[in-house]
Amino acid sequence: MDRIRIVGGNELNGTISISGAKNAALPLMIAALLTDETLILDNVPRLADVAQLQRILGNHGVDIMSAGKRPGDREYQGQTLHISAADIIDTTAPYDLVSRMRASFWVIAPLIARMHEARVSLPGGCAIGTRPVDLLILALEKLGADISIDGGYVVAKAPGGLRGADIAFPKVTVSGTHVALMAATLAKGTSVITNAACEPEIADVAACLNKMGARITGAGTPCIIVEGVARLHGARHTVLPDRIEAGTYAMAVAMTGGEVQLSGARPELLQSALDVLGEAGATVSVNNDGIRIGRNGAGLRPVQVTTAPFPGFPTDLQAQLMALMTCAGGASVITETIFENRFMHVQELARFGARISLDGDTATIRGTDKLRGAPVMATDLRASVSLVIAGLAAEGETMVNRVYHLDRGFERLEEKLSACGASIERIRD
Ligand code: EPZ
Protein backbone atom coordinates (compact mmCIF):
# COMPACT_ATOMS: atom_id res chain seq x y z
CA MET A 1 0.00 0.00 0.00
CA ASP A 2 1.31 3.45 -0.93
CA ARG A 3 2.52 5.81 1.75
CA ILE A 4 3.13 9.56 1.77
CA ARG A 5 6.32 10.99 3.28
CA ILE A 6 6.40 14.63 4.41
CA VAL A 7 9.18 16.70 5.91
CA GLY A 8 7.49 19.63 7.63
CA GLY A 9 8.43 23.28 7.92
CA ASN A 10 8.09 24.62 4.35
CA GLU A 11 5.75 27.46 3.50
CA LEU A 12 3.27 27.00 0.63
CA ASN A 13 3.49 29.53 -2.20
CA GLY A 14 2.09 29.36 -5.73
CA THR A 15 -1.11 28.16 -7.40
CA ILE A 16 -3.26 25.06 -6.86
CA SER A 17 -5.91 24.22 -9.46
CA ILE A 18 -9.11 22.95 -7.86
CA SER A 19 -10.61 19.82 -9.42
CA GLY A 20 -14.25 18.97 -10.09
CA ALA A 21 -16.22 18.06 -6.97
CA LYS A 22 -16.24 14.36 -6.04
CA ASN A 23 -19.61 14.76 -4.31
CA ALA A 24 -21.17 16.20 -7.45
CA ALA A 25 -19.45 13.93 -9.98
CA LEU A 26 -20.75 10.76 -8.27
CA PRO A 27 -24.49 11.64 -8.35
CA LEU A 28 -24.11 13.20 -11.81
CA MET A 29 -22.70 9.92 -13.16
CA ILE A 30 -25.57 8.04 -11.49
CA ALA A 31 -28.08 10.44 -13.08
CA ALA A 32 -27.00 9.11 -16.50
CA LEU A 33 -29.02 5.98 -15.68
CA LEU A 34 -32.20 8.07 -16.00
CA THR A 35 -31.98 8.31 -19.81
CA ASP A 36 -31.21 6.05 -22.78
CA GLU A 37 -29.27 8.90 -24.38
CA THR A 38 -25.70 9.96 -23.69
CA LEU A 39 -24.83 12.29 -20.81
CA ILE A 40 -21.52 14.10 -21.28
CA LEU A 41 -19.80 15.30 -18.09
CA ASP A 42 -16.83 17.70 -18.18
CA ASN A 43 -14.34 18.43 -15.39
CA VAL A 44 -14.77 15.00 -13.77
CA PRO A 45 -11.97 14.47 -11.21
CA ARG A 46 -9.60 11.51 -11.59
CA LEU A 47 -10.37 9.80 -8.26
CA ALA A 48 -10.61 6.24 -7.01
CA ASP A 49 -14.29 6.73 -6.14
CA VAL A 50 -15.05 7.85 -9.72
CA ALA A 51 -13.26 4.80 -11.11
CA GLN A 52 -15.16 2.53 -8.71
CA LEU A 53 -18.49 4.04 -9.78
CA GLN A 54 -17.54 3.47 -13.44
CA ARG A 55 -17.20 -0.24 -12.59
CA ILE A 56 -20.58 -0.27 -10.88
CA LEU A 57 -22.32 1.47 -13.79
CA GLY A 58 -20.60 -0.91 -16.20
CA ASN A 59 -22.19 -3.79 -14.29
CA HIS A 60 -25.61 -2.35 -15.21
CA GLY A 61 -24.62 -2.31 -18.88
CA VAL A 62 -23.63 1.36 -19.05
CA ASP A 63 -20.98 2.33 -21.60
CA ILE A 64 -18.54 5.00 -20.47
CA MET A 65 -16.00 6.63 -22.80
CA SER A 66 -13.31 8.89 -21.37
CA ALA A 67 -12.28 11.53 -23.91
CA GLY A 68 -8.57 11.99 -24.60
CA LYS A 69 -6.51 15.16 -24.27
CA ARG A 70 -7.61 18.02 -26.52
CA PRO A 71 -5.55 20.94 -27.90
CA GLY A 72 -5.62 23.77 -25.38
CA ASP A 73 -6.45 21.59 -22.39
CA ARG A 74 -5.12 23.05 -19.13
CA GLU A 75 -2.55 20.96 -17.29
CA TYR A 76 -4.45 18.53 -15.04
CA GLN A 77 -7.77 19.45 -16.70
CA GLY A 78 -10.61 17.25 -15.47
CA GLN A 79 -11.66 14.34 -17.62
CA THR A 80 -14.68 14.32 -19.95
CA LEU A 81 -16.88 11.23 -19.64
CA HIS A 82 -19.49 10.18 -22.22
CA ILE A 83 -21.94 8.00 -20.28
CA SER A 84 -24.55 5.99 -22.14
CA ALA A 85 -27.17 3.89 -20.36
CA ALA A 86 -29.02 2.99 -23.56
CA ASP A 87 -29.75 -0.55 -22.33
CA ILE A 88 -29.74 -1.33 -18.62
CA ILE A 89 -29.16 -5.08 -18.67
CA ASP A 90 -28.96 -5.71 -14.94
CA THR A 91 -30.86 -3.91 -12.17
CA THR A 92 -28.81 -5.48 -9.36
CA ALA A 93 -25.95 -3.61 -7.66
CA PRO A 94 -23.90 -6.31 -5.88
CA TYR A 95 -22.49 -6.15 -2.34
CA ASP A 96 -18.84 -6.52 -3.41
CA LEU A 97 -19.15 -3.35 -5.48
CA VAL A 98 -21.51 -1.23 -3.34
CA SER A 99 -19.73 -1.92 -0.04
CA ARG A 100 -16.56 -0.25 -1.33
CA MET A 101 -18.21 3.02 -2.33
CA ARG A 102 -21.33 3.90 -0.35
CA ALA A 103 -22.74 6.51 -2.71
CA SER A 104 -23.19 3.76 -5.30
CA PHE A 105 -26.28 2.78 -3.30
CA TRP A 106 -27.90 5.84 -4.86
CA VAL A 107 -28.27 3.96 -8.18
CA ILE A 108 -31.46 2.59 -6.63
CA ALA A 109 -33.20 5.89 -7.51
CA PRO A 110 -32.74 5.94 -11.32
CA LEU A 111 -33.14 2.16 -11.53
CA ILE A 112 -36.55 2.16 -9.82
CA ALA A 113 -37.61 5.34 -11.64
CA ARG A 114 -36.71 4.14 -15.14
CA MET A 115 -36.76 0.32 -14.88
CA HIS A 116 -39.44 0.08 -12.17
CA GLU A 117 -37.27 -2.37 -10.25
CA ALA A 118 -33.95 -2.46 -8.41
CA ARG A 119 -31.99 -4.81 -6.18
CA VAL A 120 -29.20 -2.91 -4.45
CA SER A 121 -26.94 -4.13 -1.67
CA LEU A 122 -27.19 -2.27 1.61
CA PRO A 123 -23.90 -0.32 1.73
CA GLY A 124 -22.99 -1.07 5.34
CA GLY A 125 -21.36 1.36 7.71
CA CYS A 126 -17.96 3.00 7.54
CA ALA A 127 -15.35 4.52 9.85
CA ILE A 128 -17.34 7.70 10.53
CA GLY A 129 -20.66 6.13 11.38
CA THR A 130 -23.39 3.53 10.81
CA ARG A 131 -24.55 5.50 7.79
CA PRO A 132 -28.17 4.18 7.66
CA VAL A 133 -30.27 4.55 4.50
CA ASP A 134 -33.71 4.55 6.20
CA LEU A 135 -34.52 8.05 4.92
CA LEU A 136 -33.61 7.10 1.34
CA ILE A 137 -36.01 4.16 1.61
CA LEU A 138 -38.66 6.42 3.15
CA ALA A 139 -38.45 8.74 0.14
CA LEU A 140 -38.82 5.88 -2.37
CA GLU A 141 -41.77 4.40 -0.46
CA LYS A 142 -43.45 7.81 -0.49
CA LEU A 143 -43.02 7.80 -4.28
CA GLY A 144 -44.87 4.48 -4.46
CA ALA A 145 -42.06 1.92 -4.47
CA ASP A 146 -42.65 -1.38 -2.71
CA ILE A 147 -39.48 -1.97 -0.65
CA SER A 148 -38.28 -5.13 1.10
CA ILE A 149 -34.94 -6.22 2.59
CA ASP A 150 -33.72 -9.61 1.43
CA GLY A 151 -30.32 -11.07 2.31
CA GLY A 152 -28.65 -7.70 2.79
CA TYR A 153 -30.20 -6.27 -0.36
CA VAL A 154 -32.85 -3.58 -0.72
CA VAL A 155 -35.40 -4.91 -3.25
CA ALA A 156 -37.53 -2.16 -4.77
CA LYS A 157 -40.48 -2.63 -7.12
CA ALA A 158 -42.81 -0.15 -8.79
CA PRO A 159 -44.63 -2.05 -11.58
CA GLY A 160 -46.63 0.95 -12.76
CA GLY A 161 -43.77 3.39 -12.21
CA LEU A 162 -43.37 5.95 -9.42
CA ARG A 163 -45.98 8.54 -8.48
CA GLY A 164 -45.30 12.13 -7.41
CA ALA A 165 -45.55 12.68 -3.63
CA ASP A 166 -44.78 15.04 -0.78
CA ILE A 167 -41.51 13.98 0.90
CA ALA A 168 -40.75 15.68 4.21
CA PHE A 169 -37.34 14.63 5.57
CA PRO A 170 -37.22 14.53 9.40
CA LYS A 171 -33.54 15.52 9.22
CA VAL A 172 -31.35 17.02 6.52
CA THR A 173 -29.80 14.27 4.40
CA VAL A 174 -27.71 14.84 1.27
CA SER A 175 -28.11 11.24 0.10
CA GLY A 176 -31.83 11.27 0.81
CA THR A 177 -32.27 14.49 -1.17
CA HIS A 178 -30.25 13.16 -4.14
CA VAL A 179 -32.31 9.94 -4.19
CA ALA A 180 -35.67 11.71 -3.86
CA LEU A 181 -34.72 14.25 -6.54
CA MET A 182 -33.54 11.72 -9.12
CA ALA A 183 -36.46 9.34 -8.54
CA ALA A 184 -39.06 12.13 -8.72
CA THR A 185 -37.92 13.33 -12.17
CA LEU A 186 -39.66 10.37 -13.88
CA ALA A 187 -42.57 9.95 -11.44
CA LYS A 188 -46.12 10.56 -12.65
CA GLY A 189 -47.16 13.90 -11.15
CA THR A 190 -45.51 16.49 -8.97
CA SER A 191 -43.31 15.91 -5.91
CA VAL A 192 -42.50 18.39 -3.16
CA ILE A 193 -39.35 17.66 -1.13
CA THR A 194 -39.19 19.61 2.14
CA ASN A 195 -36.32 19.92 4.63
CA ALA A 196 -34.13 19.13 1.61
CA ALA A 197 -30.34 19.40 1.83
CA CYS A 198 -29.03 22.70 0.39
CA GLU A 199 -25.47 21.57 -0.42
CA PRO A 200 -24.22 23.10 -3.73
CA GLU A 201 -23.82 19.60 -5.17
CA ILE A 202 -27.61 19.14 -4.99
CA ALA A 203 -28.15 22.30 -7.07
CA ASP A 204 -25.45 21.15 -9.52
CA VAL A 205 -27.20 17.80 -10.06
CA ALA A 206 -30.59 19.54 -10.41
CA ALA A 207 -29.14 21.92 -13.02
CA CYS A 208 -27.89 18.93 -15.01
CA LEU A 209 -31.23 17.10 -14.67
CA ASN A 210 -33.04 20.18 -15.97
CA LYS A 211 -30.71 20.21 -19.00
CA MET A 212 -31.81 16.59 -19.50
CA GLY A 213 -35.46 17.69 -19.58
CA ALA A 214 -36.43 17.42 -15.93
CA ARG A 215 -38.64 20.11 -14.39
CA ILE A 216 -37.06 21.01 -11.04
CA THR A 217 -37.37 24.27 -9.12
CA GLY A 218 -35.99 25.23 -5.70
CA ALA A 219 -32.85 23.04 -5.70
CA GLY A 220 -30.36 24.54 -3.24
CA THR A 221 -33.21 25.60 -0.95
CA PRO A 222 -35.01 23.50 1.69
CA CYS A 223 -38.03 23.10 -0.60
CA ILE A 224 -37.61 21.43 -4.00
CA ILE A 225 -40.50 20.95 -6.43
CA VAL A 226 -40.21 18.30 -9.17
CA GLU A 227 -42.79 17.97 -11.96
CA GLY A 228 -42.39 14.44 -13.28
CA VAL A 229 -41.81 13.90 -17.02
CA ALA A 230 -42.13 10.79 -19.19
CA ARG A 231 -38.45 10.59 -20.17
CA LEU A 232 -35.16 12.46 -19.98
CA HIS A 233 -32.72 13.07 -22.85
CA GLY A 234 -28.97 13.45 -23.13
CA ALA A 235 -27.13 16.65 -22.16
CA ARG A 236 -23.70 18.09 -21.46
CA HIS A 237 -22.74 19.42 -18.01
CA THR A 238 -19.60 20.65 -16.25
CA VAL A 239 -18.98 19.42 -12.70
CA LEU A 240 -18.71 22.33 -10.25
CA PRO A 241 -15.39 22.89 -8.41
CA ASP A 242 -14.74 20.91 -5.24
CA ARG A 243 -15.43 23.14 -2.22
CA ILE A 244 -13.97 20.56 0.19
CA GLU A 245 -10.72 20.30 -1.76
CA ALA A 246 -10.52 24.12 -1.88
CA GLY A 247 -11.19 24.38 1.86
CA THR A 248 -8.61 21.68 2.56
CA TYR A 249 -5.82 23.47 0.72
CA ALA A 250 -6.86 26.77 2.31
CA MET A 251 -6.36 25.14 5.73
CA ALA A 252 -2.98 23.78 4.61
CA VAL A 253 -1.76 27.28 3.64
CA ALA A 254 -3.07 28.73 6.88
CA MET A 255 -1.09 26.00 8.65
CA THR A 256 2.26 26.46 6.90
CA GLY A 257 2.14 30.19 6.13
CA GLY A 258 2.79 31.56 2.64
CA GLU A 259 0.33 32.56 -0.06
CA VAL A 260 -1.53 30.35 -2.56
CA GLN A 261 -4.03 31.03 -5.35
CA LEU A 262 -6.80 28.41 -5.37
CA SER A 263 -7.53 28.52 -9.06
CA GLY A 264 -11.13 27.76 -10.04
CA ALA A 265 -12.41 27.82 -6.44
CA ARG A 266 -15.77 29.52 -5.96
CA PRO A 267 -16.01 31.37 -2.59
CA GLU A 268 -19.78 31.13 -2.32
CA LEU A 269 -19.45 27.34 -2.08
CA LEU A 270 -17.38 27.47 1.12
CA GLN A 271 -18.06 30.88 2.66
CA SER A 272 -18.50 29.48 6.20
CA ALA A 273 -15.04 27.89 6.04
CA LEU A 274 -13.50 31.08 4.65
CA ASP A 275 -15.07 33.06 7.50
CA VAL A 276 -13.52 30.68 10.06
CA LEU A 277 -10.12 30.93 8.35
CA GLY A 278 -10.32 34.74 8.55
CA GLU A 279 -11.18 34.47 12.26
CA ALA A 280 -8.17 32.19 12.73
CA GLY A 281 -5.86 34.81 11.25
CA ALA A 282 -5.52 33.80 7.60
CA THR A 283 -5.92 36.41 4.87
CA VAL A 284 -8.66 35.54 2.37
CA SER A 285 -9.23 37.48 -0.85
CA VAL A 286 -11.44 36.73 -3.82
CA ASN A 287 -10.45 37.39 -7.45
CA ASN A 288 -11.79 36.46 -10.87
CA ASP A 289 -9.72 33.26 -10.97
CA GLY A 290 -10.67 31.99 -7.52
CA ILE A 291 -9.55 32.56 -3.94
CA ARG A 292 -6.18 33.76 -2.60
CA ILE A 293 -5.26 32.44 0.85
CA GLY A 294 -2.27 33.57 2.90
CA ARG A 295 -0.78 33.85 6.33
CA ASN A 296 2.30 35.96 6.77
CA GLY A 297 3.93 35.39 10.10
CA ALA A 298 1.02 36.35 12.36
CA GLY A 299 0.10 33.46 14.63
CA LEU A 300 -3.09 31.41 14.39
CA ARG A 301 -5.99 32.35 16.64
CA PRO A 302 -8.26 29.72 18.25
CA VAL A 303 -11.88 29.37 17.03
CA GLN A 304 -15.13 27.76 18.17
CA VAL A 305 -16.96 25.89 15.40
CA THR A 306 -19.96 23.55 15.16
CA THR A 307 -20.47 21.55 11.95
CA ALA A 308 -23.84 21.91 10.25
CA PRO A 309 -25.57 21.27 6.92
CA PHE A 310 -24.85 23.84 4.18
CA PRO A 311 -24.42 26.78 4.46
CA GLY A 312 -23.00 25.94 7.90
CA PHE A 313 -19.43 24.79 8.49
CA PRO A 314 -19.07 21.49 6.55
CA THR A 315 -18.41 18.26 8.43
CA ASP A 316 -16.04 17.31 5.58
CA LEU A 317 -13.67 20.10 6.70
CA GLN A 318 -13.87 19.32 10.43
CA ALA A 319 -10.77 17.11 10.58
CA GLN A 320 -8.76 19.60 8.53
CA LEU A 321 -9.75 22.49 10.84
CA MET A 322 -8.81 20.39 13.87
CA ALA A 323 -5.34 19.83 12.44
CA LEU A 324 -4.98 23.58 11.89
CA MET A 325 -6.11 24.40 15.42
CA THR A 326 -3.42 22.15 16.95
CA CYS A 327 -1.06 25.09 16.27
CA ALA A 328 -3.34 27.96 17.36
CA GLY A 329 -2.41 30.21 20.25
CA GLY A 330 -5.04 29.03 22.71
CA ALA A 331 -7.92 26.59 23.14
CA SER A 332 -10.34 25.85 20.28
CA VAL A 333 -13.62 23.95 20.46
CA ILE A 334 -15.04 21.91 17.56
CA THR A 335 -18.44 20.21 17.80
CA GLU A 336 -19.40 17.53 15.24
CA THR A 337 -23.16 17.28 14.76
CA ILE A 338 -23.50 15.33 11.49
CA PHE A 339 -21.76 11.98 12.08
CA GLU A 340 -21.52 10.07 15.34
CA ASN A 341 -17.94 8.89 15.01
CA ARG A 342 -15.99 11.47 13.07
CA PHE A 343 -13.12 11.98 15.51
CA MET A 344 -10.94 9.06 14.35
CA HIS A 345 -8.20 11.55 13.46
CA VAL A 346 -7.84 12.71 17.09
CA GLN A 347 -5.70 9.75 18.18
CA GLU A 348 -3.52 10.10 15.10
CA LEU A 349 -3.09 13.87 15.56
CA ALA A 350 -2.07 13.15 19.16
CA ARG A 351 0.92 11.24 17.77
CA PHE A 352 2.27 14.59 16.51
CA GLY A 353 2.05 15.95 20.06
CA ALA A 354 -1.31 17.64 19.54
CA ARG A 355 -3.29 18.21 22.75
CA ILE A 356 -6.92 17.30 22.08
CA SER A 357 -9.55 16.17 24.58
CA LEU A 358 -12.94 14.72 23.67
CA ASP A 359 -16.24 15.02 25.47
CA GLY A 360 -18.98 13.33 23.43
CA ASP A 361 -19.45 15.27 20.17
CA THR A 362 -17.11 18.06 21.23
CA ALA A 363 -13.32 18.27 20.90
CA THR A 364 -11.19 20.83 22.75
CA ILE A 365 -7.85 21.52 21.12
CA ARG A 366 -5.13 23.29 23.14
CA GLY A 367 -2.69 24.74 20.63
CA THR A 368 1.02 24.03 20.74
CA ASP A 369 3.91 25.51 18.78
CA LYS A 370 5.81 22.30 18.46
CA LEU A 371 4.25 19.45 16.50
CA ARG A 372 6.76 16.70 15.78
CA GLY A 373 6.53 14.41 12.76
CA ALA A 374 5.48 10.79 13.31
CA PRO A 375 4.31 7.67 11.46
CA VAL A 376 0.49 7.91 11.35
CA MET A 377 -2.39 5.98 9.81
CA ALA A 378 -5.27 7.26 7.72
CA THR A 379 -8.70 5.95 8.73
CA ASP A 380 -11.08 7.75 6.39
CA LEU A 381 -10.98 10.16 3.53
CA ARG A 382 -10.99 13.51 5.32
CA ALA A 383 -9.16 12.30 8.44
CA SER A 384 -6.27 11.22 6.22
CA VAL A 385 -5.79 14.70 4.79
CA SER A 386 -5.81 16.23 8.29
CA LEU A 387 -2.70 14.14 8.97
CA VAL A 388 -1.05 15.60 5.86
CA ILE A 389 -1.88 19.13 7.07
CA ALA A 390 -0.32 18.40 10.46
CA GLY A 391 2.73 16.84 8.81
CA LEU A 392 3.29 19.96 6.68
CA ALA A 393 3.86 22.00 9.86
CA ALA A 394 5.42 19.35 12.10
CA GLU A 395 9.15 19.31 12.73
CA GLY A 396 10.85 16.39 11.03
CA GLU A 397 9.47 13.49 9.03
CA THR A 398 5.86 12.25 8.89
CA MET A 399 4.83 9.03 7.16
CA VAL A 400 1.11 8.74 6.37
CA ASN A 401 0.10 5.12 5.82
CA ARG A 402 -2.98 3.76 4.00
CA VAL A 403 -3.15 6.66 1.57
CA TYR A 404 -5.76 4.82 -0.51
CA HIS A 405 -8.20 6.78 1.65
CA LEU A 406 -6.67 9.99 0.32
CA ASP A 407 -6.88 8.83 -3.28
CA ARG A 408 -10.64 8.47 -2.96
CA GLY A 409 -11.18 12.21 -2.74
CA PHE A 410 -8.03 14.20 -3.47
CA GLU A 411 -6.64 14.24 -6.99
CA ARG A 412 -2.81 14.24 -7.17
CA LEU A 413 -2.52 15.80 -3.70
CA GLU A 414 1.24 15.34 -3.37
CA GLU A 415 1.83 16.90 -6.81
CA LYS A 416 -0.34 19.92 -6.04
CA LEU A 417 1.39 20.51 -2.68
CA SER A 418 4.98 19.88 -3.82
CA ALA A 419 4.42 22.33 -6.69
CA CYS A 420 3.89 24.96 -3.97
CA GLY A 421 7.06 24.10 -2.05
CA ALA A 422 5.99 21.30 0.30
CA SER A 423 8.49 18.51 0.90
CA ILE A 424 6.07 15.68 0.17
CA GLU A 425 6.42 12.49 -1.88
CA ARG A 426 4.49 9.27 -2.51
CA ILE A 427 6.29 6.04 -1.72
CA ARG A 428 4.88 3.20 -3.78
CA ASP A 429 5.10 -0.10 -1.91
C1 EPZ B 1 -22.77 13.12 1.92
O1 EPZ B 1 -22.88 11.91 2.63
C2 EPZ B 1 -21.33 13.23 1.50
N1 EPZ B 1 -21.00 12.14 0.58
C3 EPZ B 1 -20.45 13.18 2.74
O2 EPZ B 1 -19.11 13.35 2.31
C4 EPZ B 1 -20.83 14.34 3.65
O3 EPZ B 1 -20.06 14.27 4.82
C5 EPZ B 1 -22.32 14.26 4.01
O4 EPZ B 1 -23.10 14.22 2.79
C6 EPZ B 1 -22.78 15.44 4.84
O5 EPZ B 1 -22.56 16.62 4.13
C7 EPZ B 1 -21.32 12.27 -0.73
O6 EPZ B 1 -21.90 13.25 -1.17
C8 EPZ B 1 -20.91 11.14 -1.64
P1 EPZ B 1 -26.19 12.52 4.76
P2 EPZ B 1 -24.36 11.32 2.97
O7 EPZ B 1 -27.17 11.61 4.11
O8 EPZ B 1 -25.25 11.71 1.87
C9 EPZ B 1 -27.87 10.41 8.68
C10 EPZ B 1 -16.89 12.75 2.03
O9 EPZ B 1 -15.94 12.79 2.83
N2 EPZ B 1 -28.74 9.65 7.77
O10 EPZ B 1 -26.36 14.00 4.61
O11 EPZ B 1 -24.23 9.89 3.30
C11 EPZ B 1 -26.41 10.05 8.49
O12 EPZ B 1 -26.08 8.90 9.24
C12 EPZ B 1 -18.22 12.23 2.49
O13 EPZ B 1 -16.84 13.15 0.84
C13 EPZ B 1 -29.73 8.85 8.34
O14 EPZ B 1 -29.87 8.78 9.56
O15 EPZ B 1 -24.72 12.15 4.29
C14 EPZ B 1 -25.71 11.28 8.99
O16 EPZ B 1 -25.66 11.22 10.41
C15 EPZ B 1 -18.19 11.72 3.91
N3 EPZ B 1 -30.53 8.13 7.51
C16 EPZ B 1 -26.66 12.42 8.59
O17 EPZ B 1 -27.94 11.80 8.35
C17 EPZ B 1 -30.40 8.17 6.15
O18 EPZ B 1 -31.19 7.51 5.45
C18 EPZ B 1 -26.24 13.12 7.32
O19 EPZ B 1 -26.09 12.14 6.32
C19 EPZ B 1 -29.39 9.01 5.59
C20 EPZ B 1 -28.58 9.74 6.42
Side-chain angles (χ1 to χ4, degrees), residues 2-7 12 15-17 19 46-47 76 245 248-249 252 384-385 388-389 392 400 403-428:
D2 291 1
R3 293 173 293 156
I4 282 193
R5 179 175 176 277
I6 303 164
V7 176
L12 293 175
T15 297
I16 293 178
S17 65
S19 302
R46 290 175 177 76
L47 296 170
Y76 302 135
E245 185 193 26
T248 297
Y249 288 124
S384 54
V385 83
V388 171
I389 290 174
L392 289 171
V400 181
V403 292
Y404 58 85
H405 289 294
L406 266 180
D407 297 336
R408 293 189 52 193
F410 294 97
E411 191 176 350
R412 299 179 323 287
L413 174 130
E414 67 275 11
E415 287 174 38
K416 293 187 177 184
L417 286 171
S418 53
C420 287
S423 169
I424 180 171
E425 60 176 335
R426 178 179 290 254
I427 298 171
R428 295 190 190 282

Side-chain angles (χ1 to χ4, degrees), residues 22-23 26 102-103 106 128 131-136 171-176 199 315-316 338-340 342 381-382:
K22 167 179 83 80
N23 290 351
L26 298 177
R102 304 180 37 73
W106 304 355
I128 63 177
R131 310 292 297 274
V133 292
D134 56 317
L135 300 180
L136 285 68
K171 68 189 293 189
V172 173
T173 158
V174 169
S175 48
E199 271 65 9
T315 175
D316 291 350
I338 307 293
F339 291 108
E340 69 269 26
R342 202 168 199 174
L381 169 53
R382 309 303 179 180

Side-chain angles (χ1 to χ4, degrees), residues 25-381:
L26 298 177
L28 284 166
M29 290 168 69
I30 291 171
L33 286 165
L34 286 165
T35 176
D36 58 0
E37 297 184 12
T38 299
L39 176 63
I40 302 174
L41 296 176
D42 294 304
N43 197 34
V44 178
R46 290 175 177 76
L47 296 170
D49 273 10
V50 168
Q52 177 62 17
L53 184 54
Q54 287 182 240
R55 279 189 282 279
I56 290 160
L57 293 176
N59 180 60
H60 293 302
V62 175
D63 295 333
I64 300 181
M65 189 276 283
S66 171
K69 199 172 175 65
R70 293 288 183 274
D73 273 358
R74 289 186 282 114
E75 194 189 15
Y76 302 135
Q77 175 145 341
Q79 54 183 330
T80 292
L81 297 182
H82 294 243
I83 307 174
S84 167
D87 302 306
I88 295 176
I89 57 144
D90 186 342
T91 55
T92 292
Y95 174 71
D96 65 314
L97 291 176
V98 173
S99 57
R100 267 179 285 173
M101 214 279 287
R102 304 180 37 73
S104 47
F105 181 79
W106 304 355
V107 299
I108 193 168
L111 289 175
I112 189 72
R114 182 174 159 209
M115 307 303 290
H116 303 169
E117 64 172 30
R119 181 172 173 273
V120 179
S121 168
L122 280 163
C126 73
I128 63 177
T130 55
R131 310 292 297 274
V133 292
D134 56 317
L135 300 180
L136 285 68
I137 290 170
L138 173 137
L140 295 176
E141 286 178 328
K142 286 275 185 188
L143 291 166
D146 173 39
I147 304 271
S148 60
I149 308 291
D150 175 29
Y153 281 75
V154 175
V155 180
K157 291 187 173 62
L162 296 177
R163 292 184 313 279
D166 291 349
I167 300 165
F169 283 113
K171 68 189 293 189
V172 173
T173 158
V174 169
S175 48
T177 305
H178 277 308
V179 159
L181 185 62
M182 283 194 270
T185 56
L186 294 180
K188 292 182 187 62
T190 300
S191 301
V192 179
I193 305 168
T194 49
N195 201 22
C198 300
E199 271 65 9
E201 293 73 30
I202 302 276
D204 201 44
V205 171
C208 178
L209 290 168
N210 280 340
K211 289 179 190 173
M212 295 165 68
R215 293 194 191 136
I216 302 165
T217 52
T221 77
C223 180
I224 304 176
I225 298 174
V226 185
E227 203 183 315
V229 295
R231 60 187 298 278
L232 295 183
H233 52 71
R236 183 159 197 158
H237 184 75
T238 299
V239 179
L240 90 171
D242 194 319
R243 61 192 170 96
I244 303 304
E245 185 193 26
T248 297
Y249 288 124
M251 304 259 174
V253 179
M255 184 67 147
T256 61
E259 190 162 312
V260 169
Q261 171 71 14
L262 301 176
S263 176
R266 283 177 27 195
E268 75 277 12
L269 303 182
L270 65 152
Q271 192 54 54
S272 57
L274 297 177
D275 292 347
V276 168
L277 280 163
E279 222 183 293
T283 53
V284 180
S285 61
V286 173
N287 52 57
N288 58 17
D289 172 54
I291 303 169
R292 199 157 191 77
I293 293 279
R295 184 167 67 85
N296 44 15
L300 285 166
R301 297 191 290 264
V303 296
Q304 303 222 357
V305 169
T306 298
T307 64
F310 192 87
F313 188 90
T315 175
D316 291 350
L317 286 176
Q318 180 257 105
Q320 296 92 314
L321 177 64
M322 189 180 291
L324 179 63
M325 287 297 108
T326 62
C327 291
S332 299
V333 177
I334 298 177
T335 301
E336 171 58 57
T337 68
I338 307 293
F339 291 108
E340 69 269 26
N341 188 34
R342 202 168 199 174
F343 284 145
M344 306 283 277
H345 40 287
V346 169
Q347 295 315 322
E348 294 305 305
L349 288 171
R351 295 175 54 75
F352 289 95
R355 301 179 299 181
I356 305 168
S357 57
L358 292 180
D359 177 10
D361 62 2
T362 297
T364 301
I365 306 103
R366 286 182 301 116
T368 173
D369 55 5
K370 48 184 178 305
L371 291 184
R372 298 188 55 73
V376 287
M377 187 173 296
T379 53
D380 66 84
L381 169 53

